[in-house]
Amino acid sequence: QVQLVESGGGLVQAGGSLRLSCAASGRGVSRYAMAWYRQAPGKQRELVAPINSGGNTNTADSVKGRFAIFTDNAKNTMYLQMNNLKPEDTAIYYCNAKFKPCVECDEYNYWGQGTQVTVSS
Protein backbone atom coordinates (compact mmCIF):
# COMPACT_ATOMS: atom_id res chain seq x y z
CA GLN A 1 0.00 0.00 0.00
CA VAL A 2 1.26 3.47 -0.96
CA GLN A 3 -0.08 6.74 0.38
CA LEU A 4 0.24 10.00 -1.55
CA VAL A 5 -0.40 13.42 -0.03
CA GLU A 6 -0.36 16.53 -2.22
CA SER A 7 0.11 20.09 -1.03
CA GLY A 8 0.99 23.49 -2.40
CA GLY A 9 -2.06 24.40 -4.43
CA GLY A 10 -3.75 27.76 -4.20
CA LEU A 11 -4.86 30.90 -5.98
CA VAL A 12 -2.32 32.79 -8.06
CA GLN A 13 -2.43 35.50 -10.69
CA ALA A 14 -1.50 34.78 -14.27
CA GLY A 15 2.26 34.85 -14.70
CA GLY A 16 2.83 33.69 -11.15
CA SER A 17 4.39 30.50 -9.81
CA LEU A 18 3.48 27.64 -7.52
CA ARG A 19 5.27 24.52 -6.36
CA LEU A 20 3.23 21.41 -5.69
CA SER A 21 4.50 18.64 -3.45
CA CYS A 22 3.54 14.97 -3.27
CA ALA A 23 4.77 13.10 -0.22
CA ALA A 24 4.82 9.35 -0.81
CA SER A 25 4.95 6.68 1.86
CA GLY A 26 4.65 2.92 1.88
CA ARG A 27 6.55 -0.22 1.07
CA GLY A 28 8.73 -0.08 -2.02
CA VAL A 29 7.66 3.42 -3.00
CA SER A 30 11.06 4.16 -4.56
CA ARG A 31 10.33 1.58 -7.28
CA TYR A 32 7.22 3.36 -8.46
CA ALA A 33 6.90 5.53 -11.54
CA MET A 34 5.35 8.81 -10.49
CA ALA A 35 3.42 11.47 -12.34
CA TRP A 36 1.34 14.62 -12.03
CA TYR A 37 -2.08 14.70 -13.65
CA ARG A 38 -4.67 17.44 -13.72
CA GLN A 39 -8.38 17.67 -14.30
CA ALA A 40 -10.13 20.89 -15.21
CA PRO A 41 -13.90 21.31 -14.77
CA GLY A 42 -15.78 19.45 -17.49
CA LYS A 43 -12.63 17.91 -18.92
CA GLN A 44 -10.92 14.54 -18.70
CA ARG A 45 -7.94 14.00 -16.44
CA GLU A 46 -4.73 14.58 -18.39
CA LEU A 47 -1.10 13.70 -17.85
CA VAL A 48 1.02 16.75 -17.04
CA ALA A 49 4.45 15.35 -16.21
CA PRO A 50 5.78 11.84 -15.49
CA ILE A 51 9.00 10.70 -13.89
CA ASN A 52 10.09 7.08 -13.85
CA SER A 53 12.05 5.22 -11.21
CA GLY A 54 15.25 5.98 -13.12
CA GLY A 55 14.62 9.71 -12.93
CA ASN A 56 13.68 10.24 -16.57
CA THR A 57 11.11 13.02 -16.95
CA ASN A 58 8.76 14.47 -19.50
CA THR A 59 6.16 17.22 -19.67
CA ALA A 60 3.03 17.71 -21.72
CA ASP A 61 3.31 20.06 -24.68
CA SER A 62 0.85 22.45 -23.04
CA VAL A 63 3.20 23.08 -20.11
CA LYS A 64 6.60 22.48 -21.69
CA GLY A 65 9.08 25.17 -20.76
CA ARG A 66 6.88 26.36 -17.87
CA PHE A 67 6.53 23.31 -15.61
CA ALA A 68 9.22 21.01 -14.26
CA ILE A 69 8.91 17.74 -12.35
CA PHE A 70 11.59 16.57 -9.94
CA THR A 71 11.99 14.44 -6.84
CA ASP A 72 13.83 14.45 -3.54
CA ASN A 73 14.47 10.75 -3.03
CA ALA A 74 15.70 11.24 0.52
CA LYS A 75 12.27 12.63 1.40
CA ASN A 76 10.25 10.39 -0.94
CA THR A 77 8.71 13.56 -2.27
CA MET A 78 7.85 14.58 -5.82
CA TYR A 79 7.46 18.19 -6.87
CA LEU A 80 5.91 20.12 -9.72
CA GLN A 81 7.37 23.58 -10.20
CA MET A 82 4.90 25.66 -12.16
CA ASN A 83 6.04 28.98 -13.62
CA ASN A 84 4.33 31.53 -15.84
CA LEU A 85 0.95 30.11 -14.91
CA LYS A 86 -1.99 30.73 -17.20
CA PRO A 87 -5.74 30.69 -16.50
CA GLU A 88 -5.99 27.49 -18.55
CA ASP A 89 -3.77 25.78 -15.98
CA THR A 90 -6.64 25.99 -13.50
CA ALA A 91 -7.45 22.45 -12.40
CA ILE A 92 -7.22 19.94 -9.61
CA TYR A 93 -3.73 18.47 -9.70
CA TYR A 94 -3.26 14.83 -8.72
CA CYS A 95 -0.21 12.84 -7.78
CA ASN A 96 -0.02 9.30 -9.19
CA ALA A 97 2.20 6.31 -8.47
CA LYS A 98 2.36 3.13 -10.58
CA PHE A 99 4.34 -0.09 -10.32
CA LYS A 100 4.11 -3.37 -12.22
CA PRO A 101 6.32 -6.07 -10.68
CA CYS A 102 6.32 -8.28 -13.80
CA VAL A 103 4.82 -8.45 -17.28
CA GLU A 104 2.08 -10.83 -16.18
CA CYS A 105 1.44 -9.03 -12.89
CA ASP A 106 -1.32 -6.63 -12.06
CA GLU A 107 -0.30 -3.00 -11.91
CA TYR A 108 -0.33 -1.17 -8.62
CA ASN A 109 -1.88 2.27 -9.16
CA TYR A 110 -2.38 4.89 -6.46
CA TRP A 111 -3.75 8.46 -6.46
CA GLY A 112 -3.50 11.32 -4.07
CA GLN A 113 -6.51 13.34 -2.98
CA GLY A 114 -5.72 16.25 -5.30
CA THR A 115 -4.88 19.89 -4.75
CA GLN A 116 -6.69 22.81 -6.36
CA VAL A 117 -4.75 25.28 -8.48
CA THR A 118 -6.61 28.39 -9.61
CA VAL A 119 -5.02 30.95 -11.89
CA SER A 120 -6.78 34.29 -12.23
CA SER A 121 -6.44 36.49 -15.27
Side-chain angles (χ1 to χ4, degrees), residues 70-107:
F70 59 99
T71 59
D72 183 335
N73 293 329
K75 296 181 179 180
N76 283 338
T77 300
M78 176 178 67
Y79 300 93
L80 185 67
Q81 178 66 41
M82 305 186 294
N83 299 325
N84 190 21
L85 282 159
K86 302 176 180 180
E88 52 263 42
D89 296 318
T90 295
I92 299 174
Y93 284 71
Y94 296 92
C95 174
N96 174 259
K98 293 180 182 177
F99 177 60
K100 193 171 183 179
C102 66
V103 174
E104 298 83 11
C105 296
D106 291 335
E107 183 178 68

Side-chain angles (χ1 to χ4, degrees), residues 10-18 66-67 82-90 117-121:
L11 173 64
V12 64
Q13 288 187 332
S17 298
L18 283 174
R66 299 188 297 120
F67 290 13
M82 305 186 294
N83 299 325
N84 190 21
L85 282 159
K86 302 176 180 180
E88 52 263 42
D89 296 318
T90 295
V117 171
T118 303
V119 185
S120 63
S121 58

Side-chain angles (χ1 to χ4, degrees), residues 25-59:
S25 59
R27 183 175 180 181
V29 69
S30 62
R31 298 179 295 173
Y32 282 66
M34 307 285 290
W36 287 100
Y37 286 76
R38 68 184 181 184
Q39 187 166 18
K43 295 188 177 181
Q44 288 190 330
R45 191 171 297 189
E46 64 173 351
L47 177 64
V48 176
I51 181 168
N52 64 19
S53 58
N56 298 306
T57 65
N58 201 355
T59 49

